[in-house]
Amino acid sequence: MSQFNLKALVLAGVLLASPFANATLEDGIRAANEGEFAVALKEFEYLADKGFAPGIYELGKLYEGGYGVTRDYYKAASFYQQGVKKNHPDSMFALAVLYDEGKGVKLDHQMAVSLFEKAAKKNLPAAQFNLGVMYSNGVGVTRDYKQARTWYEKAAANNYSLAQFNLALMYFEGLGMPKDLEKSYIWNTIAEYNGNMEASHSRKLDERKMLPKEIEEAKEKADAIYAKIQAGTYAGEGRLF
């Protein structure tokens, strides 16, 4: 079996209550999305000078990507570290990715795991997923499929399609649990609803080993779980918020 893939996700900064900060952050993000990086840089530098964590994080993203500035992973890491000190989950996630890849900081998988975990406990789905990947692959931690499943389930409950697909893989291959074709089908179906084409292919492979009645029942269960996920009421098997 190939290793689960670790995927980085660039997230927009979290807007806080301060009226001036909201307007400026929104303006900066809009400018960055439209390629007006000089404007975005000015907005984010203003927010960073005010100690506003989402602005600091967005400034780090500009330096990490080389948008409107010379790419500088060291500066990006420095800004993310400032965000981490302010307990900002997106900054935790971004810095974890740099530690995992050794960009701007010394390669340190254990530090990456620690930061992913901090962000995951703040309910950041991308961090929950990446933490699951670290446990699945045994990178920075001892391989532990039970822990991987726990974090994939949390991200899946947050409707993160990559986690839903990886959860299906774990059930299909019986990693840390008995093989369960029905649950593989369920999570592949849910991931497919979210546009995951790999899950669509895997779901069709599941169907080849299932009877029509089994497929019908599994799809009903998948639909019920997906409805709960979209309503924000799914928190794992047999549990509701």
Side-chain angles (χ1 to χ4, degrees), residues 106-127:
K106 184 178 179 180
L107 182 70
D108 189 334
H109 294 307
Q110 290 181 329
M111 179 61 75
V113 169
S114 176
L115 288 163
F116 280 139
E117 186 170 10
K118 288 180 180 179
K121 287 181 177 179
K122 289 184 173 295
N123 207 34
L124 191 66

Side-chain angles (χ1 to χ4, degrees), residues 159-175:
N159 210 23
Y160 199 77
S161 67
L162 291 173
Q164 293 160 352
F165 176 57
N166 277 12
L167 197 53
L169 285 176
M170 293 192 78
Y171 278 117
F172 182 81
E173 299 193 12
L175 299 177

Side-chain angles (χ1 to χ4, degrees), residues 4-6 116 120 125-139 141 143-153 155 163 166 170:
F4 293 109
N5 291 324
L6 187 71
F116 280 139
Q128 293 167 342
F129 167 74
N130 278 17
L131 191 55
V133 171
M134 301 298 268
Y135 275 107
S136 294
N137 293 338
V139 176
V141 289
R143 176 173 283 168
D144 187 331
Y145 289 126
K146 182 177 180 180
Q147 281 291 331
R149 175 186 172 186
T150 294
W151 289 110
Y152 285 149
E153 285 180 338
N166 277 12
M170 293 192 78

